[in-house]
Amino acid sequence: MHIGVFGAGLVGTGWSIVFARGGELVRVYDASDAARNQVLDDVAGRLADLKCVGLLDDPEAILSRIEVCTDIAAVIEGAKYVQESVPERLQLKQEVSRQISRLLGPGTVVGSSTSGIPASSFTEDLPNRDRFLVAHPVNPPYLVPVVEVAPAPWTDPMAVETAMAVMSGVDQSPVLVRREVEGFILNRLQGVLLREAWALLDEGYASADDIDKTIREGLGLRWSFLGPFETIDLNAPGGVREYAEVLGPLYHSIDASRSDPKPWSEALIAKAEAEMRAKVPAKELGQRRNWRDRRLMALAAHKKAQEG
């Protein structure tokens, strides 16, 4: 049996690496000829980078487990799991889910790579809706292992177990979102930080670069191996309770000061964009993303070396 990947863009290509690296046979489909033609070259380049930092030994073997298909049925039929990774548009998700549903074999589970669209909004009318759920990755998934598994209210618990097992089996770190919530867990946490970052920039407390530096050279160093609860548990002699008793009032006061959320204004977006483009011109964004991925590879290699 194989794993099907529907959608061969940035995320779908990343998923192909995850599954093939985990030993699975992978069949990939995309409606775009250009996307299909690019998949194997993109995968080969990323595998070469991963080998350079010691994160894998045999890129050729991994690449050989990926087959790009021009026929949807070849990807969906007979798959033990399907990862849908089309762009984040509700109508497109609904249309693609219907296509997949018509070809789905018994027992096959479908996970959707969506950052915030709940599974209930694009699977409600499917006859086999109990086998659809969200499996939200962090980009790129072959370097950032967390996956949010978020079922719809009607998703079969066995489908959830299957998705969690598939992700664990290819060395991802699945997180179960117990019931649907907008943005799931990761983007709700990220959203809180972004809200404050935009507000601090808007109110002139710091530049975008200094706000980034506070995370990059401060909180982010701890957050690369600790979560927020363990971070505060270790930041007070008596653990999380002492931290909450001493600093809880401060955080409550900060929360209260942001009781009127506002959308990001055009002027504020332009301000942030000007700072970002002064640092990295638009034509160099692709190079900067590659730099980011290489830094993530180095971090992943370091964390792997420290596991023992």
Side-chain angles (χ1 to χ4, degrees):
M1 296 181 74
H2 67 277
I3 285 182
V5 174
F6 191 119
L10 197 64
V11 176
T13 300
W15 273 122
S16 299
I17 293 172
V18 167
F19 295 129
R21 182 183 60 186
E24 301 286 354
L25 297 176
V26 182
R27 293 181 180 173
V28 185
Y29 171 80
D30 195 287
S32 164
D33 291 343
R36 290 197 306 271
N37 292 337
Q38 190 64 36
V39 173
L40 294 181
D41 285 343
D42 286 348
V43 169
R46 299 182 201 186
L47 292 178
D49 287 343
L50 290 168
K51 182 178 181 180
C52 283
V53 296
L55 289 175
L56 53 85
D57 297 321
D58 191 353
E60 291 79 13
I62 295 171
L63 188 64
S64 71
R65 289 194 284 270
I66 300 174
E67 177 186 359
V68 181
C69 302
T70 58
D71 180 16
I72 302 173
V75 172
I76 308 303
E77 292 177 352
K80 68 177 182 181
Y81 176 82
V82 173
Q83 185 70 39
E84 170 268 298
S85 299
V86 300
E88 191 91 350
R89 298 196 300 272
L90 178 58
Q91 186 174 355
L92 179 59
K93 293 280 187 186
Q94 292 169 335
E95 178 184 336
V96 166
S97 294
R98 286 193 292 270
Q99 292 180 45
I100 293 173
S101 175
R102 288 192 289 267
L103 297 167
L104 208 58
T108 303
V109 174
V110 181
S112 177
S113 304
T114 170
S115 298
I117 304 175
S120 60
S121 65
F122 55 87
T123 66
E124 184 173 6
D125 298 328
L126 303 180
N128 42 20
R129 66 181 190 174
D130 59 328
R131 287 187 276 134
F132 283 74
L133 44 73
V134 164
H136 169 225
V138 181
N139 193 42
Y142 58 88
L143 292 175
V144 186
V146 76
V147 181
E148 296 180 292
V149 176
W154 45 74
T155 305
D156 189 326
M158 288 299 295
V160 177
E161 289 183 20
T162 296
M164 297 284 284
V166 166
M167 294 304 163
S168 295
V170 291
D171 293 327
Q172 297 301 94
S173 297
V175 170
L176 177 60
V177 183
R178 294 179 179 176
R179 60 182 189 274
E180 288 190 330
V181 60
E182 184 180 18
F184 316 124
I185 306 302
L186 186 144
N187 278 325
R188 291 185 73 88
L189 292 171
Q190 181 170 236
V192 173
L193 181 60
L194 280 173
R195 176 187 176 186
E196 189 62 27
W198 281 105
L200 290 170
L201 177 66
D202 189 29
E203 294 163 4
Y205 288 106
S207 68
D209 187 60
D210 277 348
I211 293 168
D212 278 355
K213 187 186 297 182
T214 303
I215 302 300
R216 185 176 68 241
E217 307 294 342
L219 290 172
L221 295 177
R222 292 188 302 215
W223 287 352
S224 66
F225 58 93
L226 295 173
F229 284 109
E230 189 172 9
T231 293
I232 66 172
D233 194 39
L234 299 178
N235 275 2
V240 65
R241 174 171 293 280
E242 181 179 340
Y243 189 97
E245 290 172 348
V246 173
L247 291 174
L250 168 64
Y251 286 107
H252 177 70
S253 178
I254 292 171
D255 289 344
S257 73
R258 298 296 185 202
S259 58
D260 182 24
K262 299 176 182 177
W264 306 338
S265 70
E266 174 54 37
L268 180 58
I269 294 170
K271 181 179 181 180
E273 183 183 35
E275 287 200 38
M276 293 296 98
R277 294 294 69 79
K279 182 176 181 178
V280 181
K283 65 181 180 180
E284 297 177 11
L285 282 172
Q287 297 173 29
R288 188 66 173 176
R289 290 188 190 101
N290 291 336
W291 170 86
R292 175 203 65 187
D293 290 353
R294 289 193 296 271
R295 299 311 302 150
L296 283 170
M297 290 177 194
L299 178 60
H302 169 72
K303 293 180 76 170
K304 183 178 180 180
Q306 297 299 311
E307 288 175 358

